[in-house]
Amino acid sequence: LKWGGGSNGSMNEEKIAENIRKFYQKQLDHYTKLAGKLDKELETAKKYPDVNAEADLIKSNLHLIKGKGAYELTHYDENGINTVRYDYNSDENPSVYADKLYQRAAKLKRAVPLLEERIEQTEQLAESAEEQLYFVERADIHELKELSDLMKRDKPSKNQKKTETGFSEYQKDGASIYIGRNSSGNHRLVFQFAQPSDMWMHAQNIPSAHC
């Protein structure tokens, strides 16, 4: 089906499809890069036990640490007592420095579940953009035009009827369930309507409606 008719119509179709592809490719690249950055932050955050252990080591040997330098310190753990080499490189009082390490370890520990949740959300958004790229290659011009018009609006009009949202609403056990009816509905549902705390589902490894 041609929108506009003739050669100009074909050019319009190609331009619309290319603009949509660029949008979703940009989304995919952005969220993929962000997920990689968050993965590195999570890797660092998960090292909080090491930071806490360093603080314990300093606190247990305050009488031995007199300033910057290399020390043989007593280390206590579940395997017993042993001696370890430790390089103290801070200009701060060892007790103060150890307290700061405890604070850092606590902060890193709190960050772990938050980062894991954000990574999951980011990966879902990347996957959604990837699926939309798949849909664009198979959509007819009417679907592409509808999606293009939707993407030009930041959010639905206040006067827009619920039937025009592009997704269906159901109620189950006190929960509201929304399911995209087409690529436009999927776009609106994921990128405009859904909240970060919502649960997001779709069929695995195949293009599907977003729920």
Side-chain angles (χ1 to χ4, degrees):
L1 297 175
K2 304 296 184 183
W3 176 56
S7 59
N8 288 336
S10 297
M11 290 177 63
N12 284 336
E13 292 177 28
E14 293 173 2
K15 185 176 180 180
I16 290 172
E18 182 60 24
N19 286 340
I20 295 174
R21 276 194 294 268
K22 285 182 179 179
F23 172 83
Y24 285 118
Q25 187 61 56
K26 186 176 180 180
Q27 293 285 310
L28 176 59
D29 293 342
H30 168 73
Y31 289 118
T32 300
K33 183 178 180 180
L34 178 58
K37 179 182 177 182
L38 293 172
D39 278 335
K40 290 182 179 179
E41 291 182 12
L42 178 60
E43 184 178 350
T44 298
K46 285 185 174 180
K47 293 178 180 178
Y48 72 87
D50 295 336
V51 179
N52 200 77
E54 183 181 359
D56 286 342
L57 180 64
I58 295 173
K59 280 289 190 179
S60 299
N61 293 273
L62 289 176
H63 61 291
L64 295 177
I65 302 175
K66 305 302 181 182
K68 284 186 176 181
Y71 296 90
E72 295 292 329
L73 303 181
T74 302
H75 180 238
Y76 303 88
D77 60 21
E78 63 275 8
N79 297 318
I81 304 174
N82 53 72
T83 301
V84 297
R85 178 184 173 84
Y86 178 72
D87 293 322
Y88 187 77
N89 296 314
S90 176
D91 291 322
E92 294 186 286
N93 176 280
S95 181
V96 173
Y97 182 63
D99 288 339
K100 288 186 177 181
L101 288 177
Y102 281 130
Q103 293 173 8
R104 184 186 174 209
K107 184 177 180 180
L108 291 173
K109 184 178 181 179
R110 290 194 300 269
V112 170
L114 299 177
L115 285 168
E116 289 175 337
E117 181 179 2
R118 192 175 176 200
I119 288 170
E120 183 179 2
Q121 294 169 354
T122 302
E123 289 177 342
Q124 288 175 351
L125 288 169
E127 192 171 350
S128 178
E130 190 172 23
E131 284 199 5
Q132 289 293 74
L133 282 170
Y134 177 91
F135 285 128
V136 169
E137 299 303 324
R138 289 153 182 79
D140 62 38
I141 188 55
H142 293 300
E143 291 176 314
L144 291 176
K145 184 177 182 298
E146 179 185 0
L147 184 54
S148 178
D149 291 341
L150 174 63
M151 290 163 61
K152 291 175 183 178
R153 301 195 295 269
D154 290 334
K155 58 183 178 180
S157 168
K158 291 182 179 179
N159 297 323
Q160 189 174 27
K161 296 179 181 178
K162 179 167 279 191
T163 55
E164 296 175 346
T165 60
F167 51 85
S168 302
E169 178 181 355
Y170 304 91
Q171 297 294 322
K172 177 68 174 178
D173 298 331
S176 297
I177 303 171
Y178 304 90
I179 301 176
R181 293 198 294 266
N182 51 33
S183 58
S184 297
N186 284 343
H187 174 91
R188 188 191 299 282
L189 188 59
V190 173
F191 292 101
Q192 295 179 346
F193 182 81
Q195 300 298 311
S197 58
D198 290 340
M199 296 178 64
W200 180 85
M201 294 171 283
H202 71 110
Q204 187 175 18
N205 298 325
I206 60 172
S208 69
H210 293 186
C211 175

